[in-house]
Amino acid sequence: MNSESLYQFSTLTVVLLLIAFYGGTYLMTLGIRKKNEDADAFMVSNHRVGFGIGAASMTATWIWAASFYAAATSGYTYGVSGPIHYGLWGALMILFIYPFGRRFRKLAPNAHTLGELIHARHGSSSQLILALSNVLGSVISLMVNFTAAGALVSVLSPLSFQAGVIIAGVGVLLYTLWSGFRASVLTDFAQLVALMAIAIVIIPAVFFAMGGPSELVAGLDNLSVEQTNFFSTDAILNQGAPFFVAVLAYAIGNQTISQRLFAVNEEHIKPTFLTATIGYGAIVIGLGMIGLMALTLGVEPLNGDMNNLIPQMVSGYLPPIFIALFFILVIGSLSSTADSDLSALSAIMMADVYGKNIARGRADPKRMLLVGRLTMIVATIIGIVFASFSLDILVMLVFVGALWGAIVFPVIASCFWNRVTNAAFTTSVLVAMVLFCAARFELISLAGPGGLFFELLACIGGGVIIGLMVFGFLGQAAGFIAGILTLVASLIFATGFLRDYTVLLASLTAYGASTLVCVVMSLASRQARFDFDTIGQRVGNYDLSPAKSDDQTTEGRPAGLAAQH
């Protein structure tokens, strides 16, 4: 089946669907509005989000517009193992922040961002590096989601791409602006329920409309040998391994996840993250199966654009009512991530930039709210403008991903090892970024000694990743042994081989270089060892209303001291 065009709704129908979705979410948030909103509720719901809403919000946030198209593209490109590689490693990004998240919450139970914890540990330079990476990541995510909305509207209706971008941007801002994070998690819950209900209907509907299991099995003859192999080397090296390397980078570097870590009730962290891991994996792997179905039938993406694959399958096999449900499905997924990005950006500007670096410990909660809301408005405008240009954001994504990979070891080590210094943190990240660029864009020839140098760093990076993952769940000794064994295995099997896969090589180089520099500089420093107990004293809530306990702190000072100043 190769359609020359996709089904299109009338302008009125699409406008009514968008009004129904965004109008409904806006009306939902009216019930939680406060006449006098406080800064802590705006950023993290006063750290009191429950298990159900927390898990739903985590899942909905992680399932964004790119999940639909990338999962299907993975199934279409790599065959039977493609959906697993995309969905499984994406799910692990949620899971692997959990063991480290427990440590973050223990050190700074009243934090709003991971940057606040790093500021208390090291100071402004390290904190601003982390904040900058999150700002870039969230702005790019906004652009991606608004771009997806514009593309969807332009494909399924007579409306223009720019009209779709503007409607999505204004719609998300409308229901998020007043209550911030509280509005985001509430609407995430409703959006996830709708997303799951629609996905459960649409995926089987497409599957059986194509002919069911028998047609799928018969179509396996259309696949190459690599595409039929569940353990395809091509799929592992080009998608599985790079995604696996990104697991910790996204878990540590993404403020939308960290924000929910600090917002969920501490006793609910474990079930929240486990549930979100399973929920994300199940939905996204299911979406990836649509791409595999298209591959088995020999479907060619319309106009050669892989992003048309899912709309093409839905449009070609299902009646208009299902296409309308699909439309809401994608709009809901991209909106749930976009509102999380707005909430994350506002928290970073409120706490990391204004609270810690401009107000310097004397933050005015009312002014913080103004900063947060202005941030949302400016971020939405920037997202709309850049999305409207349909810019190629691949290069920016590469840099953000590298920065997140470069900060993983310094951030985790700073929260467990009392010898890590601010200079070690900052220098290791900057050196890792430079070496990443040199490897990724082959600024230094990868043939001969140059390639071997980067492969050695990459082998260290591989050992660091496995070691940190095992350390998170099984402890220091097990993590150290796993890291050493991985390093040795990598040195034996990967040297002379990794240089052919520059994306994987460069990502591992960022991990290895940052770890090596951070460890060497920390061991060489004669600076006094850090007292982790001081972090909780330096990071606290901003509003001290009667509803909050008297022993909570504001900007690291007990309430009494804050009043005296």
Side-chain angles (χ1 to χ4, degrees):
M1 189 280 295
N2 290 299
S3 301
E4 295 182 358
S5 62
L6 301 179
Y7 178 89
Q8 281 201 333
F9 295 108
S10 66
T11 299
L12 178 61
T13 301
V14 167
V15 170
L16 289 176
L17 286 172
L18 291 170
I19 290 176
F21 178 81
Y22 287 116
T25 51
Y26 174 74
L27 292 175
M28 186 183 304
T29 61
L30 290 179
I32 61 171
R33 278 193 174 187
K34 295 180 180 179
K35 184 177 181 180
N36 296 309
E37 188 73 70
D38 65 75
D40 298 310
F42 193 86
M43 288 189 283
V44 289
S45 295
N46 301 120
H47 316 284
R48 292 199 295 263
V49 173
F51 160 62
I53 289 183
S57 180
M58 190 84 70
T59 306
T61 295
W62 213 235
I63 299 176
W64 60 326
S67 297
F68 284 73
Y69 304 115
T73 298
S74 180
Y76 188 86
T77 304
Y78 298 108
V80 294
S81 66
I84 302 297
H85 280 304
Y86 190 90
L88 179 60
W89 305 133
L92 288 181
M93 292 177 191
I94 303 174
L95 179 64
F96 275 101
I97 196 178
Y98 157 66
F100 304 110
R102 290 183 304 174
R103 177 66 174 174
F104 299 156
R105 281 295 293 267
K106 181 180 179 180
L107 292 176
N110 293 320
H112 309 82
T113 69
L114 188 55
E116 286 184 306
L117 191 159
I118 295 301
H119 184 277
R121 176 68 174 86
H122 289 304
S124 294
S125 61
S126 297
Q127 177 217 18
L128 290 176
I129 285 177
L130 187 61
L132 176 62
S133 71
N134 278 286
V135 168
L136 288 174
S138 292
V139 168
I140 289 173
S141 178
L142 274 178
M143 289 191 290
V144 170
N145 283 289
F146 292 163
T147 299
L152 185 70
V153 168
S154 65
V155 164
L156 294 182
S157 80
L159 289 173
S160 68
F161 174 86
Q162 286 77 13
V165 168
I166 293 172
I167 292 171
V170 173
V172 171
L173 179 65
L174 182 68
Y175 71 79
T176 312
L177 183 64
W178 186 260
S179 299
F181 181 78
R182 294 167 62 243
S184 176
V185 294
L186 176 66
T187 54
D188 280 348
F189 182 81
Q191 288 162 355
L192 180 67
V193 171
L195 188 152
M196 291 180 69
I198 295 172
I200 289 171
V201 172
I202 284 183
I203 295 173
V206 172
F207 182 65
F208 286 105
M210 292 172 53
S214 59
E215 195 69 25
L216 181 65
V217 172
L220 292 177
D221 293 336
N222 294 325
L223 277 60
S224 67
V225 175
E226 279 292 312
Q227 288 172 331
T228 57
N229 182 6
F230 191 78
F231 300 99
S232 164
T233 303
D234 182 47
I236 291 172
L237 291 175
N238 286 298
Q239 176 155 335
F243 267 51
F244 184 77
V245 169
V247 164
L248 280 177
Y250 276 82
I252 300 300
N254 196 314
Q255 169 61 18
T256 61
I257 299 299
S258 299
Q259 193 169 17
R260 281 152 182 79
L261 167 68
F262 289 116
V264 172
N265 279 335
E266 196 163 356
E267 63 270 22
H268 294 153
I269 291 177
K270 182 177 181 179
T272 295
F273 278 80
L274 289 175
T275 303
T277 297
I278 296 170
Y280 172 90
I283 293 174
V284 173
I285 290 173
L287 291 168
M289 294 301 294
I290 294 180
L292 177 59
M293 295 177 205
L295 177 65
T296 60
L297 285 186
V299 174
E300 293 292 333
L302 185 66
N303 300 324
D305 186 354
M306 296 295 288
N307 288 340
N308 286 331
L309 199 57
I310 287 187
Q312 187 176 347
M313 296 292 287
V314 173
S315 175
Y317 286 101
L318 299 180
I321 184 64
F322 283 94
I323 302 174
L325 289 175
F326 166 76
F327 183 85
I328 294 297
L329 180 70
V330 178
I331 292 295
S333 69
L334 68 87
S335 297
S336 66
T337 304
D339 64 39
S340 298
D341 287 322
L342 289 181
S343 298
L345 284 166
S346 65
I348 291 170
M349 296 304 294
M350 290 167 72
D352 293 347
V353 177
Y354 170 73
K356 293 296 183 183
N357 292 282
I358 296 178
R360 294 186 179 277
R362 302 177 188 276
D364 179 358
K366 291 184 179 179
R367 187 167 296 176
M368 291 187 78
L369 286 170
L370 177 61
V371 169
R373 292 185 175 121
L374 287 176
T375 298
M376 287 187 172
I377 294 172
V378 172
T380 300
I381 293 172
I382 292 174
I384 289 175
V385 169
F386 282 96
S388 298
F389 292 151
S390 298
L391 296 176
D392 182 358
I393 62 170
L394 179 60
V395 174
M396 295 180 69
L397 281 171
V398 165
F399 276 103
V400 172
L403 184 55
W404 284 352
I407 66 175
V408 170
F409 181 84
V411 167
I412 293 176
S414 295
C415 295
F416 287 90
W417 189 23
N418 59 11
R419 295 190 63 172
V420 180
T421 65
N422 182 47
F425 186 109
T426 305
T427 305
S428 64
V429 172
L430 295 178
V431 169
M433 277 298 298
V434 171
L435 290 175
F436 166 85
C437 294
R440 179 64 181 86
F441 302 109
E442 299 188 38
L443 302 178
I444 298 175
S445 174
L446 297 182
L452 181 61
F453 169 73
F454 285 115
E455 285 177 338
L456 292 176
L457 286 176
C459 290
I460 296 173
V464 169
I465 291 171
I466 299 300
L468 286 175
M469 289 179 172
V470 174
F471 162 69
F473 287 98
L474 300 179
Q476 182 177 340
F480 184 78
I481 293 172
I484 293 297
L485 291 176
T486 303
L487 171 60
V488 173
S490 299
L491 289 172
I492 295 172
F493 297 107
T495 49
F497 162 71
L498 268 179
R499 66 189 69 184
D500 296 330
Y501 300 89
T502 53
V503 174
L504 180 58
L505 176 71
S507 299
L508 288 172
T509 295
Y511 277 93
S514 63
T515 300
L516 192 60
V517 174
C518 186
V519 170
V520 171
M521 289 187 65
S522 297
L523 290 174
S525 174
R526 297 188 178 184
Q527 185 173 309
R529 300 198 177 194
F530 184 77
D531 181 5
F532 285 112
D533 290 339
T534 62
I535 292 180
Q537 300 167 15
R538 297 174 182 175
V539 181
N541 290 318
Y542 294 90
D543 289 280
L544 288 175
S545 64
K548 296 181 182 179
S549 59
D550 295 335
D551 62 350
Q552 286 185 342
T553 60
T554 298
E555 282 300 287
R557 298 185 303 274
L561 290 178
Q564 291 174 17
H565 287 277

